[in-house]
Amino acid sequence: MPLSPIKAACVGLLLQLAPMQAHAQTLPIYKRPAIPIERRVQDLVSRMTVAEKARQLDMYSGSDFVDKRADGTHAASDAQLRTETAEKTWGSLGVGSLHDLYAPAALSNEIQRWVMAHSRLGIPVLFIEEGLHGFSDAALDGTLYPQSINLAATWNPDMARETAAGIASEARASGVDMILGPVLDVAREPRWGRVEEDFGEDPYLTGVLGAAYVAGMQGTSLATDHSVIAEPKHFAGHGSPEGGLNTAPVHAGEREIRTIMLRSFEPAIRQSHAMGAMAAYHEIDGIPVTANPWLLTSVLRKEWGFQGFVLSDLGAIRLLYDTHH
């Protein structure tokens, strides 16, 4: 019996789709979007060598890999990837993340294509930049918002959310995936030189504004063209260093840490589900925060349910040896 025109069309469509479906089945599990993310991650990690895993934990200064700089660190608007440097440095192991590039979108795309094409597993690079009160790349006249301490003076969580959403949108338009902020340290030491970066001395206000800021930056989903990963910092207690020095010890017991220094971070993690966190430079009771299992594991992950990843502050791993000994 001959097929009706509708059935014939359906059969034709299925025959066209069959090669595509067969191709999808031959892809590694981690490259199949329809499979649950947990299984895809497990599959990818199982395929990685120790060297590839280590490379994913490293961050490179992006301006070292371009041919023109607008200043000491940022890429020029017409910069291009220095492929010979990329080949020599990265090879086929991939790239964990790039920072201090502030590239126009075309350059970010060029680097991304190169990394995915030349790495064995095709893992994309994570572009990470600063953006505490605005973001601007070499080709973008970005919006400059008031510094965080001024935003805190509004006592307005909605304004904090809208500010962060605006920063995220402009950053993502340049290919940036993650912003190193907000700063949620409680400013209790006026000699500390970074007071203007945070939301002031009150842990409750900082917690409310920090949660709103993270919610605005990450949006309802990271799978958009206008949201980025937020990374509250500096976890935790960094705003009360001895003598106001940026890497000096913090002298506080667990009660003060929990009621003051952790209270400003907790809403950003528990309510707004920040997917990044930066460990602070200092030590508490002789234990460097970068290697503090109580803070980073017991509190952050087990008590608060943090599902993201922790970054060390710039150079903090080396400080474990050179400063904390």
Side-chain angles (χ1 to χ4, degrees), residues 112-145:
Q112 191 69 273
R113 283 192 295 267
W114 192 97
V115 170
M116 294 183 69
H118 287 78
S119 60
R120 185 177 71 91
L121 296 170
I123 303 173
V125 60
L126 194 69
F127 290 94
I128 304 176
E129 301 291 7
E130 303 284 356
L132 291 182
H133 62 108
F135 176 84
S136 183
D137 67 24
L140 175 70
D141 185 15
T143 305
L144 183 65
Y145 297 90

PDB file of all heavy atoms in Angstrom, residues 112-145:
ATOM      1  N   GLN A 112      39.088  31.299  22.271  1.00  0.00           N
ATOM      2  CA  GLN A 112      38.268  30.139  22.618  1.00  0.00           C
ATOM      3  C   GLN A 112      38.318  29.070  21.532  1.00  0.00           C
ATOM      4  O   GLN A 112      38.455  27.863  21.824  1.00  0.00           O
ATOM      5  CB  GLN A 112      36.825  30.585  22.868  1.00  0.00           C
ATOM      6  CG  GLN A 112      35.931  29.540  23.492  1.00  0.00           C
ATOM      7  CD  GLN A 112      36.317  29.243  24.927  1.00  0.00           C
ATOM      8  OE1 GLN A 112      37.182  28.390  25.170  1.00  0.00           O
ATOM      9  NE2 GLN A 112      35.694  29.934  25.867  1.00  0.00           N
ATOM     10  N   ARG A 113      38.203  29.490  20.287  1.00  0.00           N
ATOM     11  CA  ARG A 113      38.265  28.525  19.186  1.00  0.00           C
ATOM     12  C   ARG A 113      39.610  27.812  19.155  1.00  0.00           C
ATOM     13  O   ARG A 113      39.670  26.588  18.950  1.00  0.00           O
ATOM     14  CB  ARG A 113      38.006  29.243  17.852  1.00  0.00           C
ATOM     15  CG  ARG A 113      36.547  29.572  17.578  1.00  0.00           C
ATOM     16  CD  ARG A 113      36.337  30.008  16.134  1.00  0.00           C
ATOM     17  NE  ARG A 113      37.022  31.269  15.857  1.00  0.00           N
ATOM     18  CZ  ARG A 113      36.453  32.464  15.964  1.00  0.00           C
ATOM     19  NH1 ARG A 113      35.193  32.568  16.339  1.00  0.00           N
ATOM     20  NH2 ARG A 113      37.138  33.557  15.670  1.00  0.00           N
ATOM     21  N   TRP A 114      40.684  28.559  19.366  1.00  0.00           N
ATOM     22  CA  TRP A 114      42.020  27.956  19.329  1.00  0.00           C
ATOM     23  C   TRP A 114      42.184  26.925  20.439  1.00  0.00           C
ATOM     24  O   TRP A 114      42.668  25.806  20.207  1.00  0.00           O
ATOM     25  CB  TRP A 114      43.092  29.043  19.452  1.00  0.00           C
ATOM     26  CG  TRP A 114      44.472  28.546  19.128  1.00  0.00           C
ATOM     27  CD1 TRP A 114      45.120  28.660  17.937  1.00  0.00           C
ATOM     28  CD2 TRP A 114      45.362  27.831  20.002  1.00  0.00           C
ATOM     29  NE1 TRP A 114      46.366  28.069  18.007  1.00  0.00           N
ATOM     30  CE2 TRP A 114      46.541  27.549  19.264  1.00  0.00           C
ATOM     31  CE3 TRP A 114      45.292  27.407  21.321  1.00  0.00           C
ATOM     32  CZ2 TRP A 114      47.624  26.859  19.804  1.00  0.00           C
ATOM     33  CZ3 TRP A 114      46.370  26.714  21.878  1.00  0.00           C
ATOM     34  CH2 TRP A 114      47.515  26.453  21.129  1.00  0.00           C
ATOM     35  N   VAL A 115      41.786  27.283  21.649  1.00  0.00           N
ATOM     36  CA  VAL A 115      41.946  26.376  22.797  1.00  0.00           C
ATOM     37  C   VAL A 115      41.153  25.095  22.589  1.00  0.00           C
ATOM     38  O   VAL A 115      41.666  23.983  22.801  1.00  0.00           O
ATOM     39  CB  VAL A 115      41.509  27.076  24.102  1.00  0.00           C
ATOM     40  CG1 VAL A 115      41.436  26.065  25.247  1.00  0.00           C
ATOM     41  CG2 VAL A 115      42.480  28.196  24.458  1.00  0.00           C
ATOM     42  N   MET A 116      39.912  25.209  22.157  1.00  0.00           N
ATOM     43  CA  MET A 116      39.078  24.026  21.993  1.00  0.00           C
ATOM     44  C   MET A 116      39.561  23.146  20.850  1.00  0.00           C
ATOM     45  O   MET A 116      39.464  21.917  20.910  1.00  0.00           O
ATOM     46  CB  MET A 116      37.625  24.439  21.788  1.00  0.00           C
ATOM     47  CG  MET A 116      37.013  25.111  23.000  1.00  0.00           C
ATOM     48  SD  MET A 116      35.261  25.524  22.817  1.00  0.00           S
ATOM     49  CE  MET A 116      34.536  23.891  22.801  1.00  0.00           C
ATOM     50  N   ALA A 117      40.109  23.767  19.816  1.00  0.00           N
ATOM     51  CA  ALA A 117      40.589  22.991  18.669  1.00  0.00           C
ATOM     52  C   ALA A 117      41.910  22.289  18.959  1.00  0.00           C
ATOM     53  O   ALA A 117      42.180  21.221  18.405  1.00  0.00           O
ATOM     54  CB  ALA A 117      40.736  23.896  17.450  1.00  0.00           C
ATOM     55  N   HIS A 118      42.729  22.865  19.831  1.00  0.00           N
ATOM     56  CA  HIS A 118      44.073  22.332  20.056  1.00  0.00           C
ATOM     57  C   HIS A 118      44.198  21.480  21.312  1.00  0.00           C
ATOM     58  O   HIS A 118      45.221  20.828  21.515  1.00  0.00           O
ATOM     59  CB  HIS A 118      45.088  23.478  20.120  1.00  0.00           C
ATOM     60  CG  HIS A 118      45.372  24.105  18.790  1.00  0.00           C
ATOM     61  ND1 HIS A 118      44.509  25.003  18.188  1.00  0.00           N
ATOM     62  CD2 HIS A 118      46.414  23.959  17.928  1.00  0.00           C
ATOM     63  CE1 HIS A 118      45.006  25.387  17.029  1.00  0.00           C
ATOM     64  NE2 HIS A 118      46.148  24.770  16.840  1.00  0.00           N
ATOM     65  N   SER A 119      43.182  21.483  22.174  1.00  0.00           N
ATOM     66  CA  SER A 119      43.245  20.632  23.359  1.00  0.00           C
ATOM     67  C   SER A 119      42.612  19.275  23.061  1.00  0.00           C
ATOM     68  O   SER A 119      41.679  19.175  22.256  1.00  0.00           O
ATOM     69  CB  SER A 119      42.528  21.291  24.549  1.00  0.00           C
ATOM     70  OG  SER A 119      41.175  21.530  24.253  1.00  0.00           O
ATOM     71  N   ARG A 120      43.120  18.247  23.695  1.00  0.00           N
ATOM     72  CA  ARG A 120      42.695  16.878  23.389  1.00  0.00           C
ATOM     73  C   ARG A 120      41.205  16.665  23.622  1.00  0.00           C
ATOM     74  O   ARG A 120      40.526  15.992  22.830  1.00  0.00           O
ATOM     75  CB  ARG A 120      43.506  15.895  24.253  1.00  0.00           C
ATOM     76  CG  ARG A 120      43.239  14.424  23.940  1.00  0.00           C
ATOM     77  CD  ARG A 120      44.133  13.533  24.784  1.00  0.00           C
ATOM     78  NE  ARG A 120      43.742  13.535  26.184  1.00  0.00           N
ATOM     79  CZ  ARG A 120      42.880  12.650  26.714  1.00  0.00           C
ATOM     80  NH1 ARG A 120      42.302  11.746  25.941  1.00  0.00           N
ATOM     81  NH2 ARG A 120      42.587  12.695  27.998  1.00  0.00           N
ATOM     82  N   LEU A 121      40.677  17.248  24.699  1.00  0.00           N
ATOM     83  CA  LEU A 121      39.286  17.014  25.065  1.00  0.00           C
ATOM     84  C   LEU A 121      38.364  18.169  24.697  1.00  0.00           C
ATOM     85  O   LEU A 121      37.150  18.081  24.900  1.00  0.00           O
ATOM     86  CB  LEU A 121      39.187  16.733  26.570  1.00  0.00           C
ATOM     87  CG  LEU A 121      39.896  15.450  27.030  1.00  0.00           C
ATOM     88  CD1 LEU A 121      39.954  15.383  28.553  1.00  0.00           C
ATOM     89  CD2 LEU A 121      39.196  14.225  26.469  1.00  0.00           C
ATOM     90  N   GLY A 122      38.912  19.253  24.174  1.00  0.00           N
ATOM     91  CA  GLY A 122      38.079  20.367  23.728  1.00  0.00           C
ATOM     92  C   GLY A 122      37.382  21.111  24.849  1.00  0.00           C
ATOM     93  O   GLY A 122      36.282  21.639  24.654  1.00  0.00           O
ATOM     94  N   ILE A 123      38.006  21.193  26.015  1.00  0.00           N
ATOM     95  CA  ILE A 123      37.405  21.905  27.144  1.00  0.00           C
ATOM     96  C   ILE A 123      37.596  23.408  26.940  1.00  0.00           C
ATOM     97  O   ILE A 123      38.714  23.866  26.734  1.00  0.00           O
ATOM     98  CB  ILE A 123      38.047  21.473  28.473  1.00  0.00           C
ATOM     99  CG1 ILE A 123      37.909  19.964  28.662  1.00  0.00           C
ATOM    100  CG2 ILE A 123      37.415  22.220  29.641  1.00  0.00           C
ATOM    101  CD1 ILE A 123      38.661  19.436  29.873  1.00  0.00           C
ATOM    102  N   PRO A 124      36.541  24.203  26.995  1.00  0.00           N
ATOM    103  CA  PRO A 124      36.689  25.649  26.784  1.00  0.00           C
ATOM    104  C   PRO A 124      37.412  26.331  27.937  1.00  0.00           C
ATOM    105  O   PRO A 124      37.409  25.840  29.076  1.00  0.00           O
ATOM    106  CB  PRO A 124      35.245  26.142  26.660  1.00  0.00           C
ATOM    107  CG  PRO A 124      34.433  25.124  27.377  1.00  0.00           C
ATOM    108  CD  PRO A 124      35.133  23.810  27.173  1.00  0.00           C
ATOM    109  N   VAL A 125      38.041  27.459  27.626  1.00  0.00           N
ATOM    110  CA  VAL A 125      38.717  28.257  28.644  1.00  0.00           C
ATOM    111  C   VAL A 125      37.690  29.121  29.366  1.00  0.00           C
ATOM    112  O   VAL A 125      36.667  29.503  28.799  1.00  0.00           O
ATOM    113  CB  VAL A 125      39.811  29.140  28.001  1.00  0.00           C
ATOM    114  CG1 VAL A 125      39.212  30.080  26.974  1.00  0.00           C
ATOM    115  CG2 VAL A 125      40.564  29.938  29.056  1.00  0.00           C
ATOM    116  N   LEU A 126      37.930  29.386  30.640  1.00  0.00           N
ATOM    117  CA  LEU A 126      37.066  30.251  31.440  1.00  0.00           C
ATOM    118  C   LEU A 126      37.705  31.637  31.491  1.00  0.00           C
ATOM    119  O   LEU A 126      38.819  31.792  31.981  1.00  0.00           O
ATOM    120  CB  LEU A 126      36.919  29.684  32.856  1.00  0.00           C
ATOM    121  CG  LEU A 126      35.819  30.251  33.745  1.00  0.00           C
ATOM    122  CD1 LEU A 126      34.454  29.836  33.223  1.00  0.00           C
ATOM    123  CD2 LEU A 126      35.987  29.760  35.183  1.00  0.00           C
ATOM    124  N   PHE A 127      36.999  32.643  30.968  1.00  0.00           N
ATOM    125  CA  PHE A 127      37.492  34.018  31.007  1.00  0.00           C
ATOM    126  C   PHE A 127      37.011  34.680  32.296  1.00  0.00           C
ATOM    127  O   PHE A 127      35.807  34.761  32.548  1.00  0.00           O
ATOM    128  CB  PHE A 127      36.987  34.805  29.799  1.00  0.00           C
ATOM    129  CG  PHE A 127      37.604  34.378  28.497  1.00  0.00           C
ATOM    130  CD1 PHE A 127      36.980  33.442  27.681  1.00  0.00           C
ATOM    131  CD2 PHE A 127      38.818  34.906  28.084  1.00  0.00           C
ATOM    132  CE1 PHE A 127      37.537  33.052  26.478  1.00  0.00           C
ATOM    133  CE2 PHE A 127      39.395  34.516  26.884  1.00  0.00           C
ATOM    134  CZ  PHE A 127      38.761  33.583  26.080  1.00  0.00           C
ATOM    135  N   ILE A 128      37.955  35.152  33.116  1.00  0.00           N
ATOM    136  CA  ILE A 128      37.655  35.717  34.431  1.00  0.00           C
ATOM    137  C   ILE A 128      38.252  37.119  34.523  1.00  0.00           C
ATOM    138  O   ILE A 128      39.424  37.315  34.213  1.00  0.00           O
ATOM    139  CB  ILE A 128      38.232  34.844  35.561  1.00  0.00           C
ATOM    140  CG1 ILE A 128      37.726  33.399  35.448  1.00  0.00           C
ATOM    141  CG2 ILE A 128      37.881  35.422  36.927  1.00  0.00           C
ATOM    142  CD1 ILE A 128      38.345  32.463  36.479  1.00  0.00           C
ATOM    143  N   GLU A 129      37.443  38.089  34.947  1.00  0.00           N
ATOM    144  CA  GLU A 129      37.947  39.457  35.066  1.00  0.00           C
ATOM    145  C   GLU A 129      37.393  40.148  36.321  1.00  0.00           C
ATOM    146  O   GLU A 129      36.459  39.647  36.954  1.00  0.00           O
ATOM    147  CB  GLU A 129      37.556  40.283  33.839  1.00  0.00           C
ATOM    148  CG  GLU A 129      38.062  39.758  32.513  1.00  0.00           C
ATOM    149  CD  GLU A 129      39.575  39.865  32.329  1.00  0.00           C
ATOM    150  OE1 GLU A 129      40.280  40.235  33.289  1.00  0.00           O
ATOM    151  OE2 GLU A 129      40.053  39.584  31.215  1.00  0.00           O
ATOM    152  N   GLU A 130      37.986  41.290  36.637  1.00  0.00           N
ATOM    153  CA  GLU A 130      37.473  42.132  37.710  1.00  0.00           C
ATOM    154  C   GLU A 130      36.274  42.923  37.194  1.00  0.00           C
ATOM    155  O   GLU A 130      36.139  43.150  35.990  1.00  0.00           O
ATOM    156  CB  GLU A 130      38.551  43.108  38.188  1.00  0.00           C
ATOM    157  CG  GLU A 130      39.843  42.458  38.654  1.00  0.00           C
ATOM    158  CD  GLU A 130      39.749  41.815  40.016  1.00  0.00           C
ATOM    159  OE1 GLU A 130      38.667  41.932  40.660  1.00  0.00           O
ATOM    160  OE2 GLU A 130      40.736  41.189  40.449  1.00  0.00           O
ATOM    161  N   GLY A 131      35.441  43.373  38.127  1.00  0.00           N
ATOM    162  CA  GLY A 131      34.285  44.167  37.726  1.00  0.00           C
ATOM    163  C   GLY A 131      33.501  44.631  38.938  1.00  0.00           C
ATOM    164  O   GLY A 131      32.280  44.528  38.961  1.00  0.00           O
ATOM    165  N   LEU A 132      34.202  45.163  39.930  1.00  0.00           N
ATOM    166  CA  LEU A 132      33.536  45.509  41.187  1.00  0.00           C
ATOM    167  C   LEU A 132      32.495  46.609  41.018  1.00  0.00           C
ATOM    168  O   LEU A 132      31.455  46.581  41.666  1.00  0.00           O
ATOM    169  CB  LEU A 132      34.571  45.943  42.225  1.00  0.00           C
ATOM    170  CG  LEU A 132      35.497  44.850  42.760  1.00  0.00           C
ATOM    171  CD1 LEU A 132      36.427  45.430  43.807  1.00  0.00           C
ATOM    172  CD2 LEU A 132      34.683  43.708  43.358  1.00  0.00           C
ATOM    173  N   HIS A 133      32.775  47.586  40.176  1.00  0.00           N
ATOM    174  CA  HIS A 133      31.772  48.642  39.969  1.00  0.00           C
ATOM    175  C   HIS A 133      31.706  49.033  38.500  1.00  0.00           C
ATOM    176  O   HIS A 133      31.510  50.189  38.138  1.00  0.00           O
ATOM    177  CB  HIS A 133      32.068  49.853  40.854  1.00  0.00           C
ATOM    178  CG  HIS A 133      33.373  50.535  40.586  1.00  0.00           C
ATOM    179  ND1 HIS A 133      33.456  51.757  39.992  1.00  0.00           N
ATOM    180  CD2 HIS A 133      34.645  50.151  40.838  1.00  0.00           C
ATOM    181  CE1 HIS A 133      34.723  52.124  39.885  1.00  0.00           C
ATOM    182  NE2 HIS A 133      35.471  51.162  40.392  1.00  0.00           N
ATOM    183  N   GLY A 134      31.848  48.022  37.648  1.00  0.00           N
ATOM    184  CA  GLY A 134      31.740  48.242  36.217  1.00  0.00           C
ATOM    185  C   GLY A 134      32.733  47.376  35.469  1.00  0.00           C
ATOM    186  O   GLY A 134      33.715  46.893  36.035  1.00  0.00           O
ATOM    187  N   PHE A 135      32.456  47.174  34.181  1.00  0.00           N
ATOM    188  CA  PHE A 135      33.349  46.378  33.339  1.00  0.00           C
ATOM    189  C   PHE A 135      33.565  47.102  32.023  1.00  0.00           C
ATOM    190  O   PHE A 135      32.648  47.680  31.456  1.00  0.00           O
ATOM    191  CB  PHE A 135      32.764  44.993  33.053  1.00  0.00           C
ATOM    192  CG  PHE A 135      33.618  44.185  32.112  1.00  0.00           C
ATOM    193  CD1 PHE A 135      34.694  43.470  32.593  1.00  0.00           C
ATOM    194  CD2 PHE A 135      33.366  44.177  30.749  1.00  0.00           C
ATOM    195  CE1 PHE A 135      35.506  42.743  31.735  1.00  0.00           C
ATOM    196  CE2 PHE A 135      34.168  43.463  29.885  1.00  0.00           C
ATOM    197  CZ  PHE A 135      35.242  42.747  30.372  1.00  0.00           C
ATOM    198  N   SER A 136      34.808  47.049  31.536  1.00  0.00           N
ATOM    199  CA  SER A 136      35.092  47.665  30.241  1.00  0.00           C
ATOM    200  C   SER A 136      36.224  46.918  29.569  1.00  0.00           C
ATOM    201  O   SER A 136      37.269  46.682  30.186  1.00  0.00           O
ATOM    202  CB  SER A 136      35.469  49.138  30.408  1.00  0.00           C
ATOM    203  OG  SER A 136      35.679  49.745  29.145  1.00  0.00           O
ATOM    204  N   ASP A 137      36.008  46.517  28.311  1.00  0.00           N
ATOM    205  CA  ASP A 137      37.092  45.902  27.550  1.00  0.00           C
ATOM    206  C   ASP A 137      37.684  46.941  26.602  1.00  0.00           C
ATOM    207  O   ASP A 137      37.319  48.119  26.626  1.00  0.00           O
ATOM    208  CB  ASP A 137      36.612  44.655  26.794  1.00  0.00           C
ATOM    209  CG  ASP A 137      35.611  44.983  25.688  1.00  0.00           C
ATOM    210  OD1 ASP A 137      35.616  46.122  25.192  1.00  0.00           O
ATOM    211  OD2 ASP A 137      34.828  44.096  25.315  1.00  0.00           O
ATOM    212  N   ALA A 138      38.628  46.496  25.776  1.00  0.00           N
ATOM    213  CA  ALA A 138      39.338  47.433  24.909  1.00  0.00           C
ATOM    214  C   ALA A 138      38.442  48.060  23.846  1.00  0.00           C
ATOM    215  O   ALA A 138      38.780  49.105  23.297  1.00  0.00           O
ATOM    216  CB  ALA A 138      40.506  46.707  24.237  1.00  0.00           C
ATOM    217  N   ALA A 139      37.329  47.433  23.549  1.00  0.00           N
ATOM    218  CA  ALA A 139      36.451  47.944  22.491  1.00  0.00           C
ATOM    219  C   ALA A 139      35.126  48.468  23.033  1.00  0.00           C
ATOM    220  O   ALA A 139      34.263  48.878  22.274  1.00  0.00           O
ATOM    221  CB  ALA A 139      36.178  46.838  21.471  1.00  0.00           C
ATOM    222  N   LEU A 140      34.965  48.472  24.345  1.00  0.00           N
ATOM    223  CA  LEU A 140      33.674  48.822  24.938  1.00  0.00           C
ATOM    224  C   LEU A 140      33.831  49.967  25.922  1.00  0.00           C
ATOM    225  O   LEU A 140      34.681  49.938  26.807  1.00  0.00           O
ATOM    226  CB  LEU A 140      33.091  47.608  25.675  1.00  0.00           C
ATOM    227  CG  LEU A 140      31.787  47.822  26.450  1.00  0.00           C
ATOM    228  CD1 LEU A 140      30.643  48.044  25.486  1.00  0.00           C
ATOM    229  CD2 LEU A 140      31.499  46.627  27.348  1.00  0.00           C
ATOM    230  N   ASP A 141      33.029  50.989  25.754  1.00  0.00           N
ATOM    231  CA  ASP A 141      32.981  52.087  26.709  1.00  0.00           C
ATOM    232  C   ASP A 141      31.984  51.690  27.781  1.00  0.00           C
ATOM    233  O   ASP A 141      30.815  52.072  27.743  1.00  0.00           O
ATOM    234  CB  ASP A 141      32.565  53.378  26.002  1.00  0.00           C
ATOM    235  CG  ASP A 141      32.621  54.578  26.931  1.00  0.00           C
ATOM    236  OD1 ASP A 141      33.234  54.456  28.008  1.00  0.00           O
ATOM    237  OD2 ASP A 141      32.053  55.618  26.581  1.00  0.00           O
ATOM    238  N   GLY A 142      32.441  50.900  28.732  1.00  0.00           N
ATOM    239  CA  GLY A 142      31.548  50.285  29.701  1.00  0.00           C
ATOM    240  C   GLY A 142      30.972  51.279  30.698  1.00  0.00           C
ATOM    241  O   GLY A 142      31.474  52.386  30.889  1.00  0.00           O
ATOM    242  N   THR A 143      29.900  50.850  31.355  1.00  0.00           N
ATOM    243  CA  THR A 143      29.223  51.685  32.339  1.00  0.00           C
ATOM    244  C   THR A 143      30.004  51.679  33.646  1.00  0.00           C
ATOM    245  O   THR A 143      30.344  50.627  34.176  1.00  0.00           O
ATOM    246  CB  THR A 143      27.802  51.167  32.595  1.00  0.00           C
ATOM    247  OG1 THR A 143      27.106  51.075  31.354  1.00  0.00           O
ATOM    248  CG2 THR A 143      27.056  52.093  33.531  1.00  0.00           C
ATOM    249  N   LEU A 144      30.274  52.862  34.168  1.00  0.00           N
ATOM    250  CA  LEU A 144      30.956  52.996  35.454  1.00  0.00           C
ATOM    251  C   LEU A 144      29.914  53.285  36.527  1.00  0.00           C
ATOM    252  O   LEU A 144      29.236  54.315  36.493  1.00  0.00           O
ATOM    253  CB  LEU A 144      31.984  54.126  35.395  1.00  0.00           C
ATOM    254  CG  LEU A 144      32.823  54.340  36.652  1.00  0.00           C
ATOM    255  CD1 LEU A 144      33.717  53.139  36.910  1.00  0.00           C
ATOM    256  CD2 LEU A 144      33.652  55.604  36.534  1.00  0.00           C
ATOM    257  N   TYR A 145      29.783  52.363  37.479  1.00  0.00           N
ATOM    258  CA  TYR A 145      28.839  52.524  38.573  1.00  0.00           C
ATOM    259  C   TYR A 145      29.569  53.035  39.818  1.00  0.00           C
ATOM    260  O   TYR A 145      30.794  52.961  39.897  1.00  0.00           O
ATOM    261  CB  TYR A 145      28.180  51.179  38.896  1.00  0.00           C
ATOM    262  CG  TYR A 145      27.347  50.612  37.776  1.00  0.00           C
ATOM    263  CD1 TYR A 145      27.917  49.769  36.831  1.00  0.00           C
ATOM    264  CD2 TYR A 145      25.996  50.919  37.661  1.00  0.00           C
ATOM    265  CE1 TYR A 145      27.156  49.239  35.788  1.00  0.00           C
ATOM    266  CE2 TYR A 145      25.226  50.392  36.635  1.00  0.00           C
ATOM    267  CZ  TYR A 145      25.811  49.556  35.701  1.00  0.00           C
ATOM    268  OH  TYR A 145      25.058  49.037  34.677  1.00  0.00           O
TER     269      TYR A 145
END
